[in-house]
Amino acid sequence: MIPNAFDYVKAGSIEEAIQLMQESDGEGKFLAGGHSLVPLMKFRLTNPGKLIDISSIQELKGIRQVGNRLIVGALTTHKQLYSDALVIENIAVLADTARTIGDMQIRNRGTVGGNLAHADSAADLPGVALALEALMEVQGEDGKEVIDIDGFFLGPLVTALPETSVLTSISFLIPPSHTKSVYLKYAHPASGYAVVGVCAIAGVGEDGRIDFVRIGINGVADVAYRATSVEQALLGELPTAETIQKAAALASEEGEIGNDLFASEQYRRNLATVYTERALSRILL
């Protein structure tokens, strides 16, 4: 439970953080809240030679609205996320999800950017970010770029974030006003991580048929994924219990479903179906 020796330096700006990472020759890691990185270091699953503390960079904090999106600074904490009036008013499911993360200490110190950049499928935010069509705003040595959330999670704890780049903010789509949303999860009894987590956003048009639906699922597969098969099965249909049940049966079609000592692949597939049906029923029936 004691990490290997490492150097520590605190960055005062995004530019300085990028420079320090370049100078680390692949041995550096950014430190924000630390609730994902520090446990890995204690178990010596990762052994960075240098920790670059970015927690004081003010440019990486705050929440603002730009058009039909909310821009959340990467260093915004989970508590700040679920306490913010803009988030509560515009994307209630984002606030509701943040309240379920970890314990009080993690919510007070853990960051939105750190949660997503860690790319743990069992975390709560990845599935919600997929359902909200998040855009990951990144700054690196070659300037700024935007990475779509659909291509961000490459594997367990692996993302498309360039090694020397900083995730500066996350842009979340504000769903249409006539939609409803929910995040449901079955949590591991010991860790609280999601064995399955389903974020469902859906709305019914004036003709009584489903005209908007987004489903993000985390926990059951190696990476969080968007259940596009479920979405396609629902669009244009009447929101009946039978329609929802048939669509939810497709919930595990997109992901490489996991298998471990706690939950088999078959069990996880069943959980994905059950929780997708529950989530959709709550907002559509």
Side-chain angles (χ1 to χ4, degrees):
M1 298 296 290
I2 299 175
N4 285 329
F6 59 88
D7 293 329
Y8 169 89
V9 62
K10 196 162 191 173
S13 68
I14 296 174
E15 292 74 18
E16 184 182 4
I18 294 169
Q19 182 180 350
L20 289 168
M21 184 61 78
Q22 289 174 314
E23 294 170 354
S24 72
D25 294 324
E27 295 295 317
K29 287 283 186 181
F30 289 126
L31 176 68
H35 287 285
S36 298
L37 177 60
V38 172
L40 291 178
M41 291 174 61
K42 286 185 174 182
F43 283 111
R44 301 197 178 187
L45 296 175
T46 185
N47 298 292
K50 177 181 287 186
L51 288 188
I52 302 165
D53 189 343
I54 60 174
S55 62
S56 297
I57 302 177
Q58 294 303 311
E59 300 167 77
L60 301 179
K61 301 179 181 181
I63 300 170
R64 68 187 191 279
Q65 181 175 350
V66 178
N68 67 339
R69 286 186 168 270
L70 286 189
I71 313 298
V72 178
L75 290 186
T76 302
T77 66
H78 305 309
K79 182 179 181 181
Q80 289 168 341
L81 189 66
Y82 69 71
S83 303
D84 189 89
L86 277 177
V87 179
I88 295 169
E89 179 182 354
N90 292 284
I91 314 180
V93 70
L94 191 55
D96 293 341
T97 302
R99 290 190 186 94
T100 73
I101 295 173
D103 54 27
M104 185 180 296
Q105 288 179 320
I106 290 174
R107 292 190 291 272
N108 284 344
R109 292 286 299 169
T111 65
V112 176
N115 186 289
L116 292 171
H118 187 54
D120 189 339
S121 171
D124 297 298
L125 286 181
V128 180
L130 283 160
L132 292 170
E133 301 179 20
L135 299 175
M136 319 300 284
E137 300 177 356
V138 174
Q139 184 170 334
E141 53 191 297
D142 297 323
K144 298 179 180 180
E145 65 174 310
V146 175
I147 304 174
D148 193 291
I149 190 71
D150 278 336
F152 187 71
F153 302 120
L154 302 180
L157 310 185
V158 181
T159 72
L161 183 66
E163 187 176 279
T164 59
S165 296
V166 176
L167 176 61
T168 58
S169 63
I170 304 96
S171 166
F172 296 99
L173 177 70
I174 298 174
S177 59
H178 71 290
T179 62
K180 296 180 181 179
S181 57
V182 68
Y183 175 71
L184 297 181
K185 77 170 175 177
Y186 171 59
H188 191 290
S191 68
Y193 277 106
V195 181
V196 61
V198 177
C199 176
I201 307 169
V204 177
E206 294 181 358
D207 61 356
R209 296 182 179 274
I210 300 168
D211 66 351
F212 185 95
V213 58
R214 300 288 187 273
I215 307 290
I217 298 179
N218 46 270
V220 299
D222 289 342
V223 296
Y225 62 93
R226 188 165 150 188
T228 54
S229 296
V230 178
E231 297 173 4
Q232 293 167 3
L234 290 171
L235 277 175
E237 300 294 330
L238 294 171
T240 65
E242 182 180 3
T243 298
I244 291 171
Q245 185 179 43
K246 288 181 178 179
L250 305 172
S252 60
E253 292 296 308
E254 275 83 16
E256 293 291 331
I257 307 304
N259 177 37
D260 58 31
L261 292 175
F262 181 79
S264 66
E265 177 183 341
Q266 181 180 2
Y267 183 52
R268 280 187 157 87
R269 287 186 183 277
N270 183 64
L271 282 175
T273 295
V274 169
Y275 273 77
T276 299
E277 183 177 351
R278 288 181 183 177
L280 288 168
S281 296
R282 182 172 295 189
I283 61 178
L284 286 173
L285 298 181

